[in-house]
Amino acid sequence: AKDQNIALNPSKINGACGRLLCCLLYEDEAYIEAAKKLPKVGEKIKTKLGEAQVVSVDIINHRGKIMLNGEKIDYDFESEEWFKFSLDSLLLAEFTKLRQSDKLILDMCTGNAPVPLVLSLKTDAKIIGFELQRAIAELAWESISINGLDKQIKVINDDVKNIGEFFKPNTFDVITCNPPYFKINDDKNKNKNDYLTLARHEIAIDLETIFKLVNRFLKDNGVFYMVHRAERLDEIIILANKYKLN
């Protein structure tokens, strides 16, 4: 709870059993790893507007507050042009359970390939990622090359809706996805940056299309893993039943 900056109020961090919530322990390792990539409170950082001092850090959202020219302002610690990756990607990769029989894995909406990179530590299976944005795909290619994983991981710079041009139906043993979370009309979460808008909003692909593709390209005994916002759980359950993912 301290690692995650949660108020140490027993009523908020204890489960029905009276003990510390199991989810806090489950998330802790990934949370600590994510924190290593962010500046610490009090640290000085360089921004496009000049040098600033970190006042607070929101590890999950890679955001926080900084003191710049005597003014406390909100700040996004991710790239000001495009994102790196979020804690959600790490949790998704850690949650994914792979079997020895799994030979081919698909990661939809792969970004700069954090999920394939983490999964490569758990399996020798081939991993295919689809990333629509060229600049982000190039970051993925560079990360894969630096880690010497070119033979295991392949990121295709194309719309995942075109996957049928590359693979036949019923091909993948496992499919993972960290999709855009917000509907197009959700203006309160819209980002002015085009890279982030495409990554976070259902502009290029929506939730139902994802389930349609999974239904078509996942093997009969395959497994689908996805991370999403709890507020859309009802919709996810309905779509999972509709496309026979149960």
Side-chain angles (χ1 to χ4, degrees):
K2 288 182 179 179
D3 289 338
Q4 299 182 31
N5 295 320
I6 298 173
L8 301 180
N9 184 335
S11 65
K12 294 183 178 180
I13 62 175
N14 288 352
C17 63
R19 298 187 179 185
L20 190 66
L21 290 170
C22 300
C23 59
L24 298 182
L25 179 60
Y26 177 79
E27 298 169 355
D28 197 45
E29 184 176 350
Y31 203 96
I32 292 173
E33 286 300 313
K36 291 178 182 178
K37 298 175 175 64
L38 296 172
K40 293 180 172 59
V41 172
E43 185 176 336
K44 292 184 177 180
I45 61 173
K46 290 183 179 180
T47 73
K48 288 184 176 180
L49 299 177
E51 188 175 81
Q53 187 172 29
V54 178
V55 177
S56 65
V57 177
D58 178 350
I59 295 175
I60 290 179
N61 295 306
H62 286 203
R63 299 182 62 84
K65 293 186 181 295
I66 60 173
M67 186 67 71
L68 181 66
N69 299 325
E71 183 181 359
K72 187 185 293 186
I73 62 174
D74 292 324
Y75 187 73
D76 190 337
F77 293 112
E78 297 170 339
S79 167
E80 294 183 21
E81 294 182 358
W82 53 71
F83 61 90
K84 297 175 184 177
F85 61 85
S86 67
L87 181 62
D88 294 346
S89 297
L90 295 177
L91 292 174
L92 173 60
E94 286 297 322
F95 186 74
T96 300
K97 302 294 188 293
L98 298 176
R99 303 158 294 189
Q100 289 186 346
S101 59
D102 294 331
K103 302 301 180 185
L104 190 60
I105 300 167
L106 170 65
D107 182 46
M108 305 168 70
C109 311
T110 200
N112 57 1
V115 173
L117 288 169
V118 175
L119 291 182
S120 72
L121 301 174
K122 305 164 69 171
T123 182
D124 293 324
K126 297 286 185 182
I127 306 172
I128 305 295
F130 269 81
E131 173 52 42
L132 175 62
Q133 303 187 75
R134 177 76 184 189
I136 308 301
E138 288 177 350
L139 292 177
W141 296 333
E142 183 177 0
S143 295
I144 292 165
S145 178
I146 288 172
N147 286 278
L149 293 167
D150 304 80
K151 293 183 178 180
Q152 184 180 8
I153 303 173
K154 180 181 180 181
V155 171
I156 298 172
N157 175 213
D158 202 340
D159 191 329
V160 72
K161 295 195 295 292
N162 298 329
I163 188 173
E165 298 177 11
F166 300 87
F167 297 97
K168 296 178 180 179
N170 304 314
T171 293
F172 296 95
D173 299 294
V174 175
I175 297 179
T176 59
C177 187
N178 182 6
Y181 289 162
F182 305 110
K183 296 184 178 182
I184 297 175
N185 58 1
D186 189 355
D187 292 329
K188 68 179 181 179
N189 287 300
K190 264 194 180 166
N191 195 291
K192 295 179 181 179
N193 185 298
D194 289 340
Y195 291 106
L196 294 175
T197 299
L198 270 174
R200 293 173 175 170
H201 286 78
E202 295 180 335
I203 295 171
I205 193 168
D206 61 17
L207 197 54
E208 181 155 13
T209 302
I210 289 170
F211 276 92
K212 284 181 181 177
L213 293 173
V214 172
N215 172 269
R216 185 180 178 197
F217 290 94
L218 186 67
K219 289 182 177 179
D220 290 340
N221 62 342
V223 185
F224 175 46
Y225 294 91
M226 181 177 69
V227 60
H228 217 296
R229 295 174 69 88
E231 64 203 43
R232 298 190 67 181
L233 181 59
D234 289 350
E235 185 180 356
I236 290 168
I237 292 173
I238 290 170
L239 289 172
N241 286 324
K242 179 177 179 179
Y243 292 100
K244 298 179 175 58
L245 299 176
N246 46 28

